[in-house]
Amino acid sequence: MIATSALLAETITIDSPRPLADAVEQIAKLSGPAINYEDVRVLNGADIQDVTDQISRKQVGPNDKRSLGPRGGKLSAQIIVDPTTQTLPDVMSAQNALNAVVNAYNTSGLPGKFKIALGNMSGALYVAPTAERNSTGQTVSFTPVLSSRITLQAVKQTAYVTLEAILGEVSKVSRQKVAMGMIPFRAFAVAEVTIGADNEPANDVLARLFDAVSKAGADVNNVIPAMSYDMLYDPQWGYAFNILVIPNPNIKQPLPAQQTPPVNDGRFNSKP
Amino acid sequence: MKRLCVFSFKLIALVFTAANVYAQGCTTPPCAPNTVPCAHCIGTWTDDATATWTLTSPANPTTWNTFYTVTGTMRNQTRGPGCPVVTYQLQASSSSINPQEVAGQKGWSYIVWDARNPSPSTSCNGQTPLARITYRGQVFNNGCDFSNGTWDNSGGGHGTFTATKPSEVPTGENTRAVAWWSLNPTVMIYEQTLFATNDMAGRQVYEASNGTPVDNCWFTTSSYRPAALSGGGWYVGYYFFDDRWHYDYVGYDSGAVTYYRANHRTPCTATIPQAMRIYTNDRGNGPTGSLQYATDTLILNIPDSVNYGTSRAGVQAWRTYP
């Protein structure tokens, strides 16, 4: 829910299993730059809820596996939007809004702590955990999974295979299971890329992959193609790596019909 | 020194990992360059001197880089009120369209429209129809509804012209399920064929939202995001220079199928309304208009722990998975 005051400060209020992820999603809808999000792991029993009875469509027996998810909670923060467009038109305004929600999250008592970073090459923003609450309830430092340094041989192949290789390396290095989530399959199926890495943070490799895939075949003079990720954690299944295509703010609008007077250059007739 | 050399080599290797990608369409349309040229110039063109060219060329040419004969008439009434409309015949032996494709470049179709034998040929308002006027130019792809170039006539005159025609719009499209994607076995690859009288090769289509998707496999604590349209543009006739466009990838990730089953979500479906649009009005710098030609629904279906299906425009594909 977003409430607007006369000062063009909007209050984001969320009560959900992943309040920060949802807040970031709302900010992303208001802003232009790509915003990437990595969930914090939920390891403490108090931060996990059994949702089996809420989500099951069939009778779940005593021997069936239960469905567990993050408990989440309430998050509220005030952000400042552009007074004219009601949006976050640039990186700085988006970053300020993210700072507001991350600060609110980090003081909320919800599990873990997060930080915001600006990508070195992509100009994208990253929201990633720096601490998690462990199984005994202590908050301990945590290295973001997608900061893992990976090495990949530069091979020309479909972007999909490259993405699989990146996630496989990340899983291996971080020892966290990272599975393919919802992604734009066709984009990754048809784009062929040659992307390698030499002990490089996975985020930087992914930024290059996203840049290549989103620009593949795009009319870069008329559109600003971009993608972002949203890596969500499930206490039983690990991470799912979802990819979002950023709605394009720069697609040419149809030209109004032009009424130009006909030319009279004598092309059809001899003159007297 | 040796270490420095090794480091330098790695640095160079990284620099050269810059993407060099070209694809059949793109994720954020309009896509460019569309290399497929317009297949024909059939239709009624109006030029910048108000003459109308009613033209016919082969409706379904099989290949590019080939000359195809253009026939038809040109009519103008440019000698003022009271003078009759003058009708020319296009000279079949010298009027042609030649679709051109060069890898990595925007496709175009050379045209020569050679109009002769005006009727009536008598003077009016002190002006006499010239025996011949010839247009040489190109038709731009994506819209295939705009051409420009130069003209010359039998009187020694010459200049430039532009001409437009109403953009052709398919009446719909046929969908065919081709195969499960080898890289992700729960994603079906669909091929589409546009319904159109004349070949639509050279045009560009794209998908757009046609309503709010409903994914009832998804649940609030799901780590998979709900199914949605991803967006995309396709070049018509890219592989076979005909009315087909390839391919639409429809499905859940196979891991998501396992995930939703394990979380007791079956039976469940995702329903995603899809609108298909076709670009128009490309004057050489990309299309600036579009028209909707079809709507359909994508459905992802996990009925139980064994079967799995997808559907596009009612064309279902089923399999067992895993």
Side-chain angles (χ1 to χ4, degrees), chain B residues 7 27 65 101 111 114-115 190 217 219 253 293 298 319-320:
Chain B
F7 174 76
T27 306
N65 299 339
E101 177 168 316
I111 51 163
D114 189 28
Y190 286 96
C217 295
F219 53 97
D253 175 78
Y293 69 88
L298 310 177
R319 68 169 301 159
T320 57

Side-chain angles (χ1 to χ4, degrees), chain A:
Chain A
M1 185 183 73
I2 296 181
T4 307
S5 77
L7 298 172
L8 299 166
E10 292 188 347
T11 301
I12 294 180
T13 304
I14 291 165
D15 190 355
S16 77
R18 292 190 184 82
L20 185 56
D22 294 340
V24 168
E25 187 182 3
Q26 288 199 15
I27 289 170
K29 285 177 181 168
L30 298 174
S31 69
I35 303 175
N36 301 285
Y37 173 82
E38 177 181 323
D39 236 352
V40 67
R41 297 192 302 172
V42 281
L43 307 170
N44 187 274
D47 298 325
I48 296 171
Q49 59 175 326
D50 184 335
V51 293
T52 314
D53 297 336
Q54 299 166 39
I55 68 172
S56 293
R57 287 224 163 79
K58 58 189 177 188
Q59 195 71 31
V60 178
N63 296 325
D64 288 332
K65 193 173 181 179
R66 308 293 293 178
S67 295
L68 306 180
R71 182 177 299 281
K74 192 171 179 182
L75 177 64
S76 181
Q78 203 168 62
I79 64 170
I80 306 297
V81 298
D82 182 276
T84 310
T85 62
Q86 307 278 307
T87 62
L88 302 163
D90 51 35
V91 172
M92 183 170 284
S93 60
Q95 196 162 3
N96 288 339
L98 289 174
N99 272 322
V101 296
V102 165
N103 287 338
Y105 185 92
N106 288 344
T107 55
S108 66
L110 291 161
K113 306 285 182 197
F114 285 80
K115 67 171 183 181
I116 300 159
L118 184 61
N120 291 333
M121 295 172 290
S122 61
L125 291 160
Y126 293 85
V127 179
T130 56
E132 65 185 11
R133 185 144 62 204
N134 67 16
S135 58
T136 61
Q138 294 174 301
T139 296
V140 296
S141 67
F142 180 75
T143 302
V145 171
L146 292 174
S147 300
S148 302
R149 291 186 172 274
I150 61 170
T151 298
L152 282 180
Q153 194 179 356
V155 179
K156 186 176 183 181
Q157 58 195 2
T158 66
Y160 186 84
V161 174
T162 300
L163 179 61
E164 281 187 321
I166 292 170
L167 298 184
E169 281 298 297
V170 168
S171 296
K172 193 168 75 179
V173 173
S174 68
R175 298 183 180 177
Q176 303 296 324
K177 184 185 174 193
V178 180
M180 194 81 78
M182 284 302 296
I183 73 160
F185 290 119
R186 184 257 183 165
F188 282 77
V190 301
E192 286 210 324
V193 298
T194 307
I195 288 178
D198 183 11
N199 196 33
E200 197 179 349
N203 267 326
D204 291 349
V205 187
L206 286 164
R208 291 208 309 278
L209 178 65
F210 283 11
D211 185 65
V213 173
S214 59
K215 286 182 179 165
D219 183 354
V220 292
N221 293 319
N222 293 312
V223 297
I224 306 170
M227 291 178 175
S228 65
Y229 67 74
D230 186 21
M231 194 169 86
L232 304 181
Y233 185 77
D234 181 294
Q236 291 168 301
W237 293 76
Y239 285 101
F241 186 83
N242 303 284
I243 298 177
L244 313 167
V245 176
I246 310 289
N248 194 323
N250 196 31
I251 291 177
K252 273 193 292 193
Q253 296 302 309
L255 295 175
Q258 290 181 327
Q259 295 292 332
T260 54
V263 296
N264 183 9
D265 52 12
R267 72 182 70 167
F268 301 120
N269 308 300
S270 64
K271 291 177 181 173

Side-chain angles (χ1 to χ4, degrees), chain A residues 18 55 57 65 67 160 182 186-187 192 194 198 212 217 230 234 242 248 252 254 263 267-270, chain B residues 10 17 21 24 26-28 32 48 78 128 130 135 153 184 216 223 225 233-234 259 263-265 285 288:
Chain A
R18 292 190 184 82
I55 68 172
R57 287 224 163 79
K65 193 173 181 179
S67 295
Y160 186 84
M182 284 302 296
R186 184 257 183 165
E192 286 210 324
T194 307
D198 183 11
D230 186 21
D234 181 294
N242 303 284
N248 194 323
K252 273 193 292 193
V263 296
R267 72 182 70 167
F268 301 120
N269 308 300
S270 64
Chain B
K10 286 181 175 177
T17 57
V21 291
Q24 199 295 71
C26 66
T27 306
T28 313
D48 51 350
T78 54
T128 306
L130 290 159
Y135 282 15
N153 62 26
N184 200 319
N216 62 35
S223 58
R225 283 293 182 186
W234 294 264
Y259 180 78
N263 281 291
H264 319 291
R265 295 297 291 166
N285 294 312
T288 57

Side-chain angles (χ1 to χ4, degrees), chain B residues 133-147:
Chain B
I133 180 159
T134 305
Y135 282 15
R136 291 181 179 84
Q138 59 190 320
V139 176
F140 291 104
N141 67 2
N142 289 324
C144 298
D145 53 2
F146 178 83
S147 67

Side-chain angles (χ1 to χ4, degrees), chain B residues 159-241:
Chain B
T160 60
F161 79 91
T162 60
T164 60
K165 72 168 185 176
S167 191
E168 288 182 79
V169 182
T171 55
E173 66 185 12
N174 179 66
T175 292
R176 183 172 75 90
V178 177
W180 296 104
W181 187 23
S182 59
L183 295 178
N184 200 319
T186 49
V187 175
M188 172 52 67
I189 297 172
Y190 286 96
E191 172 196 82
Q192 280 62 234
T193 305
L194 299 180
F195 294 144
T197 306
N198 306 316
D199 198 332
M200 302 298 279
R203 304 294 297 276
Q204 184 179 159
V205 300
Y206 67 100
E207 71 176 11
S209 174
N210 190 37
T212 305
V214 176
D215 184 345
N216 62 35
C217 295
W218 181 84
F219 53 97
T220 53
T221 59
S222 170
S223 58
Y224 287 81
R225 283 293 182 186
L229 284 185
S230 56
W234 294 264
Y235 304 135
V236 181
Y238 182 80
Y239 291 120
F240 301 103
F241 200 52

